[in-house]
Amino acid sequence: MKSTIKLIAFTMFVATCFTGVQAQNDTLVKPAKAPEYDELMDSNYKDSIAAKYVKTKTVTETKKEKKKNYSGNWVIGAGINVIEDSGAQDFSNLTESKYNHFGSPVMLSVEYLTSNKFSVSATFLLNKFQSGKDVQGLTIQTGEEPNYMAVDLAAKLFFRKILYKHVFTPYVTAGPGYRSIGSYQAKNASENLVDVPETQDITMNLGFGTYFWFNRSWGLNINYMAKFALKIGDNNDYKTNHLVPSFGIFYRFDAPKNFNDQPPVFK
């Protein structure tokens, strides 16, 4: 009988203690950051549900960030170019038709985005010097329209935070190039005919430009390049510095699917 009474008393004591502890737990306020709170509360339990949730969330967010990385993408472009080779080094000449050559101009480019700030590119230019216009103080004669061809390699540094980064991506660029110009006849300031030989030279190029994005893949590019000829080899007198503005449309491959239809940025 006594043992039964003791057992009942002990059972009541345990139940009372459990009820008190449970009441204390019910008064605790759960923090707003539930996953971190659950992870802390379950820290003594290996592979708890809360811990798995936090881990899964972190991995998912990391994958999303990787998908938003625009490095390692190819861009191709096509457009037109203008050659200004007056020799006067006067920027106002860019607005005068006499000094700007626009004969069958073609611009093709391919670019690889190495990161959100840098890219490397190759550009192919075709054009013609037009008769009646000036090149280095010489006026090209009728029927004499030498072909202009150039291949340029360049590195670009982007400044996408200067302007609204989802639309404009300004940059500066620099690199070497190769140029070839056919032979032609021209008149100098004294009205004497001059035979200009075919020239091939290496140039060092400096420039700037910007991309204007329509959507995730398409956009426009405006580029302004100063080309400095190296005096190496023959015909150095005809290896001249000149300016080449270009304008074109471009297409970017492998745009991310989770960008919510926003124009691409180099992020």
Side-chain angles (χ1 to χ4, degrees):
M1 183 67 178
K2 290 182 178 181
S3 60
T4 301
I5 294 174
K6 289 181 178 179
L7 178 60
I8 293 173
F10 178 77
T11 301
M12 293 179 65
F13 175 77
V14 171
T16 301
C17 291
F18 178 80
T19 302
V21 171
Q22 185 65 33
Q24 282 187 333
N25 287 340
D26 290 341
T27 61
L28 292 176
V29 179
K30 193 173 184 178
K33 295 183 178 179
E36 289 80 356
Y37 172 84
D38 289 337
E39 183 181 29
L40 178 62
M41 295 298 290
D42 295 338
S43 59
N44 290 331
Y45 298 91
K46 187 177 180 180
D47 296 328
S48 67
I49 295 177
K52 288 181 179 178
Y53 173 77
V54 173
K55 183 177 180 181
T56 303
K57 181 181 178 184
T58 303
V59 171
T60 302
E61 289 178 347
T62 302
K63 287 182 178 179
K64 286 183 179 179
E65 288 301 319
K66 287 183 179 179
K67 287 182 180 179
K68 290 183 180 180
N69 191 331
Y70 294 90
S71 63
N73 290 289
W74 290 94
V75 177
I76 57 173
I80 57 176
N81 67 87
V82 178
I83 302 171
E84 195 279 295
D85 194 6
S86 66
Q89 297 183 353
D90 186 348
F91 286 99
S92 64
N93 288 345
L94 285 172
T95 61
E96 295 187 38
S97 175
K98 180 180 180 180
Y99 302 110
N100 292 286
H101 298 268
F102 195 71
S104 304
V106 175
M107 184 274 292
L108 300 173
S109 66
V110 59
E111 183 173 359
Y112 184 76
L113 308 175
T114 60
S115 71
N116 64 336
K117 292 184 178 180
F118 297 98
S119 75
V120 291
S121 66
T123 303
F124 177 72
L125 300 174
L126 281 179
N127 209 323
K128 282 185 178 182
F129 284 163
Q130 296 171 283
S131 60
K133 295 188 177 184
D134 283 9
V135 175
Q136 297 291 317
L138 302 174
T139 303
I140 299 175
Q141 297 302 288
T142 302
E144 301 284 329
E145 293 194 336
N147 290 320
Y148 174 102
M149 187 273 289
V151 177
D152 300 317
L153 302 177
K156 292 179 181 176
L157 172 63
F158 299 103
F159 300 96
R160 59 188 180 84
K161 291 185 179 181
I162 292 179
L163 299 173
Y164 180 45
K165 66 181 180 180
H166 293 308
V167 177
F168 292 99
T169 307
Y171 61 83
V172 293
T173 181
Y178 165 81
R179 178 184 67 163
S180 173
I181 303 174
S183 60
Y184 60 95
Q185 276 193 334
K187 281 187 177 180
N188 58 21
S190 302
E191 294 295 319
N192 296 321
L193 282 176
V194 176
D195 290 321
V196 179
E198 178 182 356
T199 58
Q200 299 180 16
D201 55 12
I202 301 297
T203 62
M204 295 303 297
N205 310 324
L206 294 174
F208 60 90
T210 187
Y211 287 106
F212 179 86
W213 298 89
F214 294 144
N215 53 39
R216 291 183 301 191
S217 297
W218 291 95
L220 295 177
N221 173 241
I222 300 174
N223 190 77
Y224 187 89
M225 187 74 70
K227 301 168 72 70
F228 303 92
L230 303 181
K231 304 294 185 177
I232 301 174
D234 300 328
N235 303 323
N236 285 337
D237 291 341
Y238 300 101
K239 294 181 177 181
T240 59
N241 303 333
H242 58 292
L243 303 173
V244 182
S246 61
F247 174 81
I249 191 168
F250 65 86
Y251 176 78
R252 176 178 166 275
F253 293 96
D254 297 328
K257 301 297 184 182
N258 67 330
F259 198 66
N260 298 325
D261 293 326
Q262 292 292 326
V265 293
F266 302 109
K267 182 178 180 180

